């Protein structure tokens, strides 16, 4: 099996990218980061990529005529590294249908909520405002609709008395990292196939997202 080539798409601090790099370095993920791509030249993700000597490309929307031109420029750079998998880890722009079509079945997103609850922004505050007693993160296939697409895997954390959005985010983040690594491992093992309206694991349709347990194993298939 060839080593899974991952392209990471990120706008922010890059802790999920760092988690993938750590897992690869530890031998816990048979993959390589083929490139890191961003709309934010000053992002932490780009800084981490450069510090690791990775291929890093940032294209600011300001330098492009319109949304479609930005997508085209960035996704052409992604295509050039021939990724097996594109991981959106805090990429804060909506990706147009043309770019998605180009990478159909090869793009996942990590989102900090138990989807289908709370697509979009401010997920931690919204979970608290709703009085939820648990919160979590989801990995799903990317489709044109925001934070939708077949769910692959989730991790759950309790909401504790006295939590605010910041404390809840802090509790969730390391679990998100473990979720992303465990899900990427399924791709490295070539066990997942993504379709527009469902995902296959080991050739069988996933009827519910896998759940990350305390030992960082995905269960429930
Ligand atoms: C994570 O919470 C991810 O779930 C969300 O954006 C954040 C990115 O964090 N979509 P980082 O840039 O990987 O640290």
């Amino acid at each position: 099996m060839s080593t899974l080539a991952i392209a990471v798409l990120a706008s922010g601090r890059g802790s999920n990218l760092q988690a993938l790099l750590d897992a690869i370095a530890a031998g816990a993920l048979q993959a390589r980061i083929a490139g890191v791509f961003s709309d934010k030249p000053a992002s932490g993700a780009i800084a981490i990529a450069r510090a690791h000597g990775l291929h890093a490309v940032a294209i600011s929307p300001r330098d492009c005529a319109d949304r479609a031109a930005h997508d085209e420029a960035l996704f052409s750079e992604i295509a050039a590294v021939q990724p097996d998998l594109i991981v959106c880890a805090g990429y804060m722009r909506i990706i147009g249908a043309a770019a998605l079509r180009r990478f159909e079945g090869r793009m996942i997103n990590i989102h900090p909520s138990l989807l289908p609850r709370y697509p979009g922004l401010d997920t931690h505050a919204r979970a608290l405002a709703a009085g939820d007693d648990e919160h979590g993160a989801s990995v799903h296939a990317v489709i044109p609709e925001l934070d939708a697409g077949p769910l692959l895997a989730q991790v759950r954390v309790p909401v504790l008395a006295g939590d605010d959005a910041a404390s809840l985010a802090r509790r969730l983040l390391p679990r998100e990292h473990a979720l992303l690594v465990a899900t990427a491992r399924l791709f490295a093992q070539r066990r997942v196939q993504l379709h527009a309206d469902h995902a296959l694991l080991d050739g069988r349709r996933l009827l519910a997202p896998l759940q990350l347990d305390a030992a960082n194993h995905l269960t429930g298939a």
Side-chain angles (χ1 to χ4, degrees):
M1 220 176 329
S2 62
T3 303
L4 187 81
I6 300 178
V8 175
L9 196 47
S11 304
R13 85 201 125 168
S15 69
N16 279 287
L17 166 64
Q18 187 65 58
L20 291 172
L21 288 168
D22 291 347
I24 291 168
L29 176 61
Q30 305 304 314
R32 65 185 176 88
I33 303 298
V36 177
F37 302 87
S38 185
D39 58 327
K40 294 257 182 340
S43 61
I46 289 292
I48 290 169
R50 298 228 161 96
H52 284 79
L54 297 171
H55 180 64
V57 178
I59 300 177
S60 170
R62 279 198 300 271
D63 297 331
C64 300
D66 55 23
R67 174 181 295 279
H70 179 260
D71 261 10
E72 168 61 24
L74 196 58
F75 280 85
S76 292
E77 293 283 351
I78 294 174
V81 303
Q82 298 187 293
D84 299 307
L85 179 68
I86 301 172
V87 173
C88 299
Y91 183 64
M92 300 306 284
R93 290 176 64 80
I94 292 175
I95 301 168
L100 292 179
R101 263 197 307 276
R102 197 163 170 180
F103 296 99
E104 215 169 319
R106 282 192 283 164
M107 206 184 304
I108 59 173
N109 180 47
I110 181 151
H111 180 76
S113 81
L114 293 172
L115 290 171
R117 281 177 174 169
Y118 317 127
L121 300 174
D122 299 325
T123 57
H124 313 304
R126 287 157 70 199
L128 287 170
D132 294 352
D133 56 13
E134 67 173 1
H135 186 45
S138 306
V139 175
H140 65 91
V142 178
I143 62 168
E145 197 186 334
L146 182 69
D147 298 328
L151 288 169
L152 290 174
Q154 294 183 321
V155 66
R156 289 162 192 274
V157 298
V159 175
L160 303 180
D163 262 340
D164 58 17
S167 65
L168 191 50
R170 267 197 307 279
R171 183 172 316 115
L172 181 58
L173 191 63
R175 301 304 294 143
E176 261 187 55
H177 295 159
L179 177 70
L180 182 59
V181 167
T183 309
R185 193 179 297 126
L186 296 179
F187 283 89
Q189 296 166 338
R190 305 300 199 273
R191 294 178 61 193
V192 183
Q193 275 180 285
L194 302 179
H195 298 278
D197 62 351
H198 67 284
L200 300 179
L201 177 69
D202 300 329
R204 283 193 302 272
R205 195 181 175 116
L206 261 184
L207 298 176
L210 301 169
Q211 301 292 319
L212 192 76
D213 68 15
N216 291 340
H217 295 129
L218 287 170
T219 63

